[in-house]
C-alpha cells in the first residue's frame, strides 16, 4: 500500500512538472550587429562603405561594398550607422550607441597615410564617440579603412581621445576593414 | 527446642518472604519483544524468552540491584525495592555504538568493497566551508580542478570531467547544467558529511556513463539520541568576505531524525599578487534539510536541498573578438582592473538548484530489502553577458532544467553473496527562455531515460572478494531547435538530417531532432588481501556515454571565451574500457598506496579549433566538437607517515598522459604532473594544537597539442599576421600553505575550535593550465583566513 502511495505521488509530481513547451518562434537576436554603413559626403558627392552580414554570427562572412573612390585632398563629413537587420523591421543601433556614448567609441585606422580623421562628436563627458567625423584625404593611393566599435573603452587612457586604439581596452562590438582608393 | 523453634520461625519467615517475584517484559525501541536479554537481580540470573518475558521467583523483601543488558542496547542498571510481587517491564534503546556499526554495514552494502574509493571526512570538509565542492575534492589524490576564475570549480578525475564524472548526492544524481567547463556542480559543500570518488562496479548503480568515476556525497548522518549543532564562521582576507554555516541534527529514540543546514557566503573581488581581479565576487545562500523515520523493517525519508549562487566572472575575460584575445595573451595583463568592490556586475552567473527526494526502504526478510526513490530537481541557470545596451537587464542565457527520477533497488545479502539490482526511469525537460534576445546555446529538449542494472559480490574467503556488474540504459532526446539556414547547410545537415526539419522561418529552419541511444556498461573486479598488510584491488570496466546536448547542438558565439562553438548531430557515444588497480601497503607507521590506471576511450568527444569565421564583430576562432580515440594512462600515489607522537607527514602525486591515438598527438586540458606534501604537528596536551605546512607543486604541462592559430589583426591601420598562442601551457609553480588550529573548551561538552590559515603564503604569482581564464589574469594571491568552529 505504501509503495502504491509513493508511486502515485511520484506520478503526480511527474505530470505536474512536465510542462511541455510549445515553440514560441525563433529568438529575435537583439545583440547582433549585421550592418555597418559609413557615409562620406562632400557636397553632393556621397560615398557609402557598407559591411552586411545577414546571418549574424552564422558561418557566412560579411559582404563588404564600397560605392566609389575618394578624391584627393578633399574634406569629407563622415557618419556611421549600425543596424540589426535580423530583426524585422531592422533595428537601428546607432541611436543606442549615441545614447550610451560614454561606454562606446569608434576608432578609425587609415593605412598608407591616405588621409587623417578627426572626431566630430562628443559624449556627456566631452570625449569623442566617433559616429560623426571628418576625413581629409591626402594624395592618391589605396589601402584600407578599419572601423572598430569598442564597448566600455578607457577613454581617459593616453591617446584614446585622439583616436589611438592602442590603450583603449574594452571589448570589440564591431570591426570592419574597407578597401579604400583615393584618386585624382 | 529453642533452636528448632528458631529454625522453624526462620524457615517459615523465609517461606513467607520468598513468595515475592519479579516479572516483566523487555521490548526494543519499537515495542517488539526481545529474546535472550540478560537479567541480573542480586545474585540471580535469568534471560527473557521469545516473547520477551522474564520472571524471577523466591525473592525476599529487600533492596536488589537490577541489571538488564543486551548486545547493542543501552544497559539498564538500577536499584529496586521488593516488598510484594513486582512487575518491571522496560523498553531498551539501541546504544550509539551499535548504530555506528549499523551505519558501517550500511555503507558496505551501498558501496562496494572492491571499489577504489578515496574519501574525505567531515573534519576536512569543514576546512573548505567557504569555498567550493571542487576545491574540497582536490584533497583526494588524482583529483584536479578545472576552473573558470576562482568560484567556478569543477572536479577532474583521472583527466576527465563534466558528464564523465557524475556527482551523486544522497543517492541522487545531480542533474544540473554541467555542459561546458564554466559550470560548476551546484552543491553546498557544508551539507556534505563525506565526499568520495569511486571508480569501480558500484558506479553502475548510478549510471553506465561514469567514464572518469563518480563523486559520492553522503549527507550529514543522524545517529545519536541527542540534538547537536555546529556553526562554522569563516573570514578571508582575499575577497574580503566570509561565510557562515550552521547545522542542527536531532535524533530520537523512536526512530525519528532530522537535520538542517544553512549556509551563506559573501565575497568581493579576489586579488592577484599585483592587481584586483575585477568582478570576481560571489554570493551563496544554501539550505538543506532532511527528515527520516527508521524502524526495524522499514525506513522512510524526505529531503530538500536548495543551492542559490551568484558568481561574478572576471571582467577582463569578456572579450570582443580574436584581436582582443591576441592582445590579452600578449599583454599578460588584464584589460580591466578596477578598485576593489563587492559589486557583481556583468558578466555573471546566477544559478538556483532545488533537489527534493523521497525515499522508502522495506526490509523483506533478514537477507533482502527493497527501496523506492523519487527525486525531483529543478535547475535554473542565468548567464548575464555584457550587453551593448547596459540598461538591458535580461540574461543572455536563461535555462530551466527540470528532472524527475524514479528508481527502485532490490538488495540481497546472504553469507558470501550479495546482489544489488535496480531499475530507474528518468524524464528531463529543458526550456530555454526565448526572451533573452540571444540565440540559446542549449535548445529546448525532452529526454527520457530507462536503466536497469545488476551488481554481484562474492566473498571467496576472508582474503579474496570479487565483484561484477552489468547495466543497460536507453535514452531518447527530443530537441526543438531553430537553425540558421546558412549554418544548417554549412554543417552539411541538409543532406543528412532533412527529416528533422518541420517548419520554414525564412532565414531559419525549425528542426526537431530525435536521437535514441542504447548503452551497455559492465565491470568486474577483485580485492585480494595478502599477508603483510598488502591489499590489491583490480577492476576492469566498460562504460558508454551519450553525447550531451551541448555537444550535439551548440551553435554560435560563446561570449565568455570569445569563440564560436559548434556541436555536431553526427556524434556517436563514447565507449571507454578502463583498467584500474590499487595496491595498498600498511606498515605500523607508514601507509603507501598506488593507483595506476589505463583508459582507452573510443570516440572521445572533445573541442577542437578548426578555423575562423568572420562576423561584423571581427574574426572568431571556431571550435568544433569532434571525436577521436583517446588513451589515458596515469598513476596516483599517496602516502602517510606517523613520524612520532607529534609529527606526521602525508603526500600525494598524480601523473597522467592523455594521447589522441588517431592523430598521434596529446589531448588538450590534461592535468599536469602535480604533487603535494604536508607536515603536521599536533599536541593534544595543548588544547589540540595543530600546526601544518603544505606545499603544492604543479609542473608545466609538456604533453599538449598545439592548437595555435594564425590570424590578421589591425596594427597601425594595417592588417598584420600574428600567431595567437592559445596552447602554450603555464609555467611550473609551487605554493606554500599554512594552517594552525587550537581548541577551547567553553562549557561542558562544548568546544570552540579556532583555525588560522594562509593560502599561498609566499604570494606567488602563477597561472593554472586548467583555468580557462589563464589568458586574462593571474590566479589569486595570498589569502589569510580565520575560522571559528563552534560545536554545541
Amino acid at each position: 500500500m505504501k509503495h502504491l502511495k509513493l508511486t502515485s505521488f511520484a506520478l503526480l509530481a511527474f505530470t505536474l512538472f512536465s510542462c511541455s513547451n510549445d515553440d514560441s518562434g525563433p529568438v529575435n537576436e537583439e545583440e547582433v550587429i549585421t550592418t555597418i554603413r559609413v557615409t562620406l559626403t562632400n557636397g553632393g558627392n556621397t560615398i557609402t562603405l557598407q559591411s552586411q552580414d545577414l546571418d549574424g554570427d552564422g558561418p557566412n562572412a560579411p559582404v563588404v561594398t564600397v560605392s566609389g573612390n575618394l578624391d584627393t585632398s578633399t574634406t569629407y563629413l563622415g557618419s556611421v550607422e549600425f543596424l540589426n537587420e535580423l530583426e524585422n523591421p531592422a533595428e537601428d543601433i546607432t541611436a543606442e550607441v549615441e545614447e550610451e556614448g560614454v561606454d562606446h567609441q569608434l576608432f578609425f585606422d587609415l593605412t598608407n597615410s591616405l588621409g587623417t580623421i578627426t572626431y566630430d562628436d562628443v559624449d556627456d563627458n566631452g570625449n569623442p564617440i566617433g559616429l560623426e567625423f571628418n576625413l581629409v584625404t591626402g594624395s592618391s593611393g589605396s589601402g584600407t579603412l578599419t572601423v572598430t566599435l569598442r564597448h566600455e573603452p578607457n577613454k581617459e587612457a593616453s591617446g584614446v581621445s585622439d583616436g589611438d586604439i592602442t590603450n583603449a581596452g574594452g571589448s570589440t562590438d564591431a570591426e570592419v576593414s574597407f578597401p579604400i582608393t583615393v584618386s585624382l | 527446642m529453642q533452636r528448632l523453634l528458631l529454625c522453624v520461625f526462620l524457615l517459615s519467615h523465609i517461606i513467607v518472604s520468598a513468595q515475592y517475584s519479579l516479572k516483566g517484559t523487555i521490548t526494543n525501541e519499537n515495542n517488539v519483544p526481545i529474546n535472550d536479554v540478560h537479567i541480573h537481580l542480586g545474585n540471580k540470573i535469568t534471560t527473557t524468552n521469545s516473547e520477551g518475558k522474564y520472571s524471577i521467583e523466591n525473592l525476599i523483601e529487600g533492596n536488589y540491584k537490577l541489571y538488564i543488558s543486551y548486545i547493542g542496547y543501552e544497559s539498564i542498571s538500577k536499584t529496586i525495592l521488593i516488598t510484594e510481587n513486582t512487575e518491571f517491564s522496560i523498553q531498551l534503546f539501541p546504544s550509539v555504538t551499535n548504530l555506528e556499526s549499523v551505519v558501517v554495514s550500511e555503507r558496505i552494502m551501498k558501496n562496494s568493497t572492491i571499489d577504489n574509493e578515496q574519501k574525505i571526512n567531515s573534519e576536512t570538509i569543514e576546512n573548505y566551508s567557504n569555498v567550493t565542492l571542487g576545491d574540497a575534492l582536490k584533497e583526494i589524490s588524482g583529483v584536479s580542478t578545472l576552473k573558470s576564475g576562482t568560484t567556478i570549480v569543477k572536479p577532474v578525475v583521472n583527466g576527465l570531467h563534466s558528464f564523465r564524472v557524475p556527482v551523486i548526492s544522497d543517492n541522487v544524481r545531480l542533474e544540473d547544467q554541467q555542459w561546458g567547463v564554466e559550470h560548476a556542480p551546484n552543491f553546498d559543500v557544508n551539507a556534505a558529511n563525506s565526499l568520495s570518488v569511486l571508480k569501480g562496479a558500484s558506479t553502475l548503480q548510478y549510471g553506465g556513463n561514469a567514464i572518469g568515476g563518480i563523486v559520492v556525497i553522503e549527507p550529514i548522518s543522524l545517529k545519536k539520541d541527542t540534538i547537536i549543532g555546529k556553526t562554522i564562521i569563516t573570514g578571508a582576507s582575499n575577497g574580503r568576505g566570509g561565510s557562515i554555516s550552521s547545522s542542527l541534527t536531532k535524533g530520537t529514540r523512536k526512530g525519528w531524525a532530522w537535520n538542517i543546514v544553512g549556509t551563506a557566503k559573501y565575497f568581493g573581488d579576489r586579488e592577484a599578487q599585483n592587481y584586483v581581479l575585477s568582478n570576481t565576487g560571489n554570493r551563496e545562500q544554501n539550505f538543506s534539510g532532511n527528515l527520516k523515520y527508521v524502524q526495524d523493517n522499514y525506513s522512510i525519508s524526505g529531503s530538500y536541498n536548495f543551492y542559490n549562487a551568484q558568481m561574478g566572472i572576471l571582467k577582463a575575460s569578456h572579450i570582443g573578438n580574436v584581436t582582443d584575445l591576441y592582445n590579452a595573451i600578449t599583454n599578460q595583463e588584464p584589460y580591466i582592473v578596477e578598485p576593489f568592490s563587492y559589486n557583481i556586475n556583468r558578466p555573471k552567473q546566477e544559478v538556483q538548484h532545488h533537489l527534493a527526494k523521497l525515499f522508502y526502504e522495506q526490509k523483506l526478510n533478514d537477507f533482502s530489502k527493497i527501496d523506492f526513490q523519487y527525486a525531483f530537481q529543478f535547475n535554473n541557470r542565468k548567464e548575464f553577458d555584457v550587453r551593448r545596451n547596459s540598461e538591458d537587464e535580461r540574461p543572455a542565457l536563461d535555462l530551466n532544467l527540470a528532472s524527475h527520477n524514479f528508481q527502485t533497488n532490490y538488495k540481497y545479502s546472504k553469507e558470501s553473496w550479495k546482489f544489488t539490482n535496480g531499475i530507474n526511469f528518468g524524464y528531463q525537460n529543458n526550456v530555454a527562455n526565448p526572451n533573452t534576445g540571444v540565440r540559446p546555446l542549449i535548445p529546448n529538449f525532452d529526454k527520457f531515460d530507462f536503466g536497469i542494472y545488476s551488481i554481484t559480490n562474492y566473498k571467496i574467503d576472508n582474503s579474496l572478494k570479487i565483484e561484477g556488474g552489468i547495466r543497460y540504459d536507453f535514452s531518447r532526446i527530443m530537441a526543438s531547435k531553430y537553425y540558421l539556414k546558412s549554418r544548417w547547410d554549412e554543417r552539411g545537415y541538409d543532406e543528412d538530417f532533412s527529416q528533422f526539419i518541420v517548419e520554414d522561418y525564412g532565414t531559419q529552419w525549425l528542426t526537431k531532432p530525435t536521437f535514441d541511444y542504447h548503452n551497455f556498461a559492465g565491470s568486474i573486479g577483485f580485492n585480494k588481501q595478502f599477508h603483510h598488510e598488502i591489499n590489491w584491488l583490480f577492476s576492469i570496466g566498460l562504460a558508454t556515454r551519450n553525447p550531451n546536448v551541448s555537444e550535439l547542438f551548440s551553435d554560435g558565439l560563446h561570449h565568455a571565451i570569445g569563440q564560436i562553438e559548434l556541436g555536431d548531430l553526427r556524434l556517436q557515444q563514447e565507449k571507454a574500457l578502463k583498467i584500474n588497480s590499487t595496491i595498498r601497503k600498511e606498515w605500523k607507521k607508514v601507509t603507501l598506496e598506488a593507483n595506476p590506471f589505463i583508459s582507452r576511450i573510443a570516440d572521445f568527444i572533445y573541442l577542437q579549433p578548426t578555423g575562423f569565421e568572420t562576423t561584423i564583430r571581427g574574426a572568431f576562432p571556431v571550435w568544433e566538437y569532434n571525436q577521436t580515440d583517446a588513451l589515458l594512462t596515469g598513476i596516483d600515489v599517496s602516502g602517510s607517515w606517523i613520524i612520532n607522537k607529534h609529527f606526521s607527514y602525508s603526500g600525494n602525486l598524480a601523473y597522467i598522459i592523455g594521447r589522441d591515438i588517431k592523430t598521434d598527438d596529446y589531448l588538450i586540458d590534461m592535468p599536469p604532473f602535480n604533487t603535494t606534501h604536508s607536515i603536521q604537528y599536533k599536541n593534544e596536551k595543548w588544547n589540540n594544537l595543530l600546526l601544518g605546512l603544505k606545499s603544492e607543486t604543479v609542473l608545466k604541462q609538456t604533453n599538449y597539442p598545439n592548437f595555435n592559430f594564425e590570424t590578421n589583426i589591425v596594427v597601425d591601420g594595417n592588417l598584420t599576421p600574428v600567431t595567437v598562442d592559445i596552447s602554450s601551457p603555464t609555467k611550473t609553480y609551487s605554493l606554500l600553505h599554512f594552517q594552525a588550529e587550537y581548541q577551547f573548551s567553553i562549557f561542558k561538552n562544548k568546544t570552540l575550535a579556532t583555525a588560522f590559515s594562509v593560502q599561498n603564503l609566499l604570494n606567488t604569482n602563477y597561472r593554472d593550465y586548467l583555468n580557462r581564464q589563464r589568458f586574462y589574469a593571474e590566479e589569486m594571491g595570498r589569502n589569510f583566513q580565520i575560522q571559528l568552529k563552534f560545536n554545541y
Side-chain angles (χ1 to χ4, degrees), chain B residues 85-146:
Chain B
N85 283 339
T86 309
E87 185 159 329
F88 184 79
S89 293
I90 196 161
Q91 217 176 346
L92 294 184
F93 291 97
S95 68
V96 173
T97 42
N98 179 51
L99 272 181
E100 291 274 16
S101 70
V102 169
V103 170
V104 169
S105 61
E106 181 72 16
R107 271 201 61 78
I108 292 165
M109 186 107 180
K110 236 191 211 163
N111 299 328
S112 86
T113 46
I114 312 299
D115 254 332
N116 178 333
E117 177 182 7
Q118 281 183 296
K119 194 172 167 181
I120 35 183
N121 57 23
S122 56
E123 286 82 46
T124 314
I125 293 169
E126 284 175 2
N127 295 337
Y128 291 91
S129 177
N130 65 339
V131 286
T132 68
L133 178 68
D135 290 305
L137 281 165
K138 226 180 142 186
E139 280 279 323
I140 293 176
S141 141
V143 177
S144 352
T145 53
L146 190 62

Side-chain angles (χ1 to χ4, degrees), chain B residues 715-727:
Chain B
V715 180
D716 295 332
N718 296 305
L719 280 175
T720 313
V722 290
T723 303
V724 185
D725 182 8
I726 52 162
S727 307

Side-chain angles (χ1 to χ4, degrees), chain B residues 566-609:
Chain B
L566 298 177
D568 195 337
L569 297 179
R570 299 179 189 88
L571 292 177
Q572 300 298 312
Q573 292 132 301
E574 285 183 349
K575 294 160 280 287
L577 185 69
K578 49 178 184 174
I579 299 172
N580 215 307
S581 180
T582 301
I583 298 143
R584 189 182 161 90
K585 162 95 177 133
E586 282 176 35
W587 289 268
K588 261 186 184 161
K589 294 188 165 179
V590 178
T591 305
L592 207 56
E593 184 176 305
N595 168 215
F597 62 91
I598 182 162
S599 183
R600 169 81 159 73
I601 307 173
D603 293 322
F604 180 77
I605 301 171
Y606 70 108
L607 258 180
Q608 185 189 11

Side-chain angles (χ1 to χ4, degrees), chain A residues 2-3 6-7 9-10 13-14 17-21 23-36 51-53 55-62 86 91 93 96-97 100 103-104 109-112 144 146 150-152 169-177, chain B residues 298 315 318-321 323-324 327 335-336 358 360 362 370 372 374 376 386-392 394 402 404 406 427 429-431 434 436-440 444 446 480 482 484 486-487 490 505 508 510 512 557 564 613-618 714 716-719:
Chain A
K2 254 193 183 106
H3 310 168
L6 201 75
T7 316
F9 178 83
F14 193 88
F17 290 108
S18 307
C19 38
S20 105
N21 50 294
D23 296 294
S24 45
V27 165
N28 281 331
E29 287 200 72
E30 297 163 36
E31 281 295 298
V32 176
I33 297 173
T34 60
T35 310
I36 300 178
S51 172
Q52 191 181 38
D53 190 356
D55 72 344
D57 293 335
N60 295 342
L86 283 182
E91 184 195 5
I93 299 159
E96 192 186 295
V97 173
E100 300 218 334
D103 288 331
H104 289 101
D109 260 317
L110 200 52
T111 55
N112 303 331
T144 54
T146 303
R150 278 280 164 92
H151 190 198
E152 298 186 345
S171 62
T172 306
D173 270 351
E175 184 184 278
V176 183
S177 292
Chain B
Y298 69 96
K315 205 163 193 176
H318 176 89
I319 57 164
N321 63 11
T323 309
D324 297 350
N327 289 338
Y335 250 161
I336 302 165
L358 280 175
Y360 177 79
Q362 174 73 51
I370 187 162
F372 303 89
Y374 166 73
F376 171 67
V386 177
R387 287 210 179 229
R388 213 176 44 231
N389 178 357
S390 54
E391 302 288 303
D392 192 338
R394 290 174 301 167
H404 307 262
F406 176 77
Y427 168 70
N429 170 258
N430 181 63
V431 181
T436 56
V438 176
R439 170 183 296 274
N444 292 349
D446 289 301
S480 167
Y482 292 90
L484 282 174
S486 59
R487 177 68 71 203
E490 180 264 335
Y505 278 83
Q508 303 187 47
L510 170 59
K512 302 230 163 172
L557 193 55
I564 290 173
E613 270 177 18
T614 309
T615 76
I616 269 190
R617 257 179 262 228
V714 180
D716 295 332
N718 296 305
L719 280 175

